[in-house]
Amino acid sequence: MTAAATSPESARSGSDQKAFDFKAYLAAQKQMVEAALDDSLGPEKPESLREAMRYSLLAGGKRLRPILCLAACELAGGDPQLAMPTAVALEMIHTMSLIHDDLPAMDNDDLRRGRPTNHKVYGDAVAILAGDALLTRAFEMVSLRSPGVPSDRLLKVVGELSLVAGAPGLVGGQVVDLECEGKQVDLETLEYIHLHKTGALLKACVITGALIGGADDAQLDCLRTYARGIGLAFQIVDDILDVTASSDVLGKTAGKDLIADKTTYPKLLGLEESRQGAKTLIQEAKGSLAAFTHSGAGAGQEAPLLALADYVIGRDR
Ligand code: GRG
């Protein structure tokens, strides 16, 4: 498929969501994101580090995070191309977290995105350093490689990324997750883990995209509600897929939560109630976009975020 045949514009017809061709939109966005990711790592040295960074960054994946960032920028009335370096940065942070999560000292996994995990190929030390280099490159993408974006907006984006990558986000969620292995965990703690480990980065995708697009405070509030809903729903679906899907389809080891004796939504609530909970969160998330439907900059541009919310719950991997 050519980029022209599947451009985001050709995927949308006016503001009518029924006429929005999500499949074409997703394919076009993914293609653009893949190209930007490929461009983001130049001919740097040492070659061994570059290879390890590229191995995981270009290993495929749904690219949901960068696509959310671009869609939120557009919804806020901005040019999504201006948000591309930040979209790449978010995928770098995500990839770093996967590399570190798979290490023997953490989840100790052999398979990710359908291939051997980074440390299985390059060794633990290089995997740790490749993750570190991706994390720091993410900040470089925003602060030094985002032409055309006003610096006050970039500063806010840097702030969001530093919060999400650190103790108030991924690291904090991961620590509590590790501490809870093999223990009885209540729903409140489970929600804490997922809002930090998974939800925080998804929220940062939406908020940074909207910041670059020039969203005002009221719009950012609506988008925070949207992002919280899809973030939690995403993780509930992840827990469900861990017990219902195969490793082949997932591209990572299925049944891992059971093996590690982790508390999950299906374990606490059962499969059916978990599915229902995810559905409710997605309905609420979509409802929070109502403010964009008829007024303001970006009105009529909510179709991608509405469809992405449905994608979160309908995904099979
Ligand atoms: C070192 C700063 C620093 C942070 C790392 C390891 C860690 C702290 C956090 C773990 C975060 C983590 C791996 C959460 C799981 C999130 C999740 C459900 C990932 C799967 O995302 P998908 O399905 O994957 O979007 P693809 O491959 O499609 O991108």
Side-chain angles (χ1 to χ4, degrees):
M1 251 183 303
T2 66
T6 57
S7 74
E9 290 71 29
S10 71
R12 189 186 295 106
S13 161
S15 62
D16 181 356
Q17 220 236 327
K18 286 198 191 90
F20 176 65
D21 183 347
F22 181 60
K23 210 171 153 201
Y25 172 84
L26 204 59
Q29 298 298 83
K30 208 169 169 216
Q31 194 177 23
M32 280 193 302
V33 167
E34 292 294 344
L37 288 170
D38 197 17
D39 275 357
S40 69
L41 300 179
E44 51 207 285
K45 300 271 188 275
E47 180 62 34
S48 52
L49 176 63
R50 175 177 183 268
E51 198 189 311
M53 290 163 80
R54 284 184 72 85
Y55 176 81
S56 290
L57 189 65
L58 302 179
K62 294 179 285 297
R63 310 309 194 193
L64 174 63
R65 290 156 190 80
I67 293 173
L68 277 170
C69 175
L70 301 176
C73 176
E74 206 175 1
L75 177 60
D79 172 359
Q81 275 314 316
L82 293 183
M84 188 58 94
T86 293
V88 165
L90 289 155
E91 187 66 20
M92 287 174 166
I93 294 177
H94 171 54
T95 303
M96 168 280 298
S97 77
L98 300 179
I99 296 174
H100 284 195
D101 192 52
D102 291 333
L103 287 165
M106 305 242 186
D107 263 11
N108 191 19
D109 220 320
D110 295 351
L111 185 69
R112 174 67 71 178
R113 291 176 164 170
R115 354 156 114 183
T117 45
N118 197 292
H119 67 275
K120 283 279 155 193
V121 180
Y122 300 100
D124 293 3
V126 171
I128 291 168
L129 293 166
D132 294 345
L134 285 169
L135 176 61
T136 42
R137 175 60 53 85
F139 287 90
E140 181 187 325
M141 294 305 298
V142 176
S143 55
L144 301 177
R145 294 166 66 175
S146 293
V149 184
S151 52
D152 59 327
R153 293 185 189 176
L154 291 180
L155 194 58
K156 287 182 184 162
V157 170
V158 167
E160 290 289 329
L161 296 191
S162 39
L163 289 174
V164 77
L170 289 171
V171 176
Q174 179 77 348
V175 168
V176 178
D177 191 23
L178 292 172
E179 285 172 354
C180 285
E181 270 180 30
K183 290 188 187 150
Q184 286 286 344
V185 169
D186 59 18
L187 204 52
E188 200 185 330
T189 310
L190 188 63
E191 195 171 288
Y192 176 93
I193 293 170
H194 293 327
L195 281 175
H196 289 76
K197 243 187 95 165
T198 305
L201 187 55
L202 291 166
K203 185 151 92 190
C205 297
V206 175
I207 296 304
T208 55
L211 283 170
I212 292 172
D216 62 26
D217 287 347
Q219 290 173 325
L220 289 172
D221 274 349
C222 295
L223 288 168
R224 275 191 198 98
T225 307
Y226 167 85
R228 186 185 190 280
I230 65 157
L232 257 190
F234 184 92
Q235 186 59 54
I236 296 175
V237 172
D238 217 67
D239 285 0
I240 293 172
L241 290 174
D242 187 70
V243 282
T244 58
S246 67
S247 300
D248 270 357
V249 171
L250 292 178
K252 60 182 179 181
T253 313
K256 204 67 213 293
D257 295 335
L258 272 180
I259 297 164
D261 196 15
K262 282 197 177 181
T263 301
T264 63
Y265 281 92
K267 193 169 162 188
L268 272 188
L269 303 176
L271 271 177
E272 210 30 62
E273 202 177 319
S274 301
R275 282 196 185 104
Q276 200 45 53
K279 259 190 212 160
T280 305
L281 285 164
I282 291 298
Q283 274 159 9
E284 287 168 4
K286 289 168 74 178
S288 72
L289 297 183
F292 288 93
T293 309
H294 299 298
S295 61
Q301 303 291 337
E302 70 286 2
L305 285 186
L306 290 172
L308 284 161
D310 287 330
Y311 173 70
V312 159
I313 200 168
R315 69 195 177 96
D316 67 351
R317 64 196 68 205

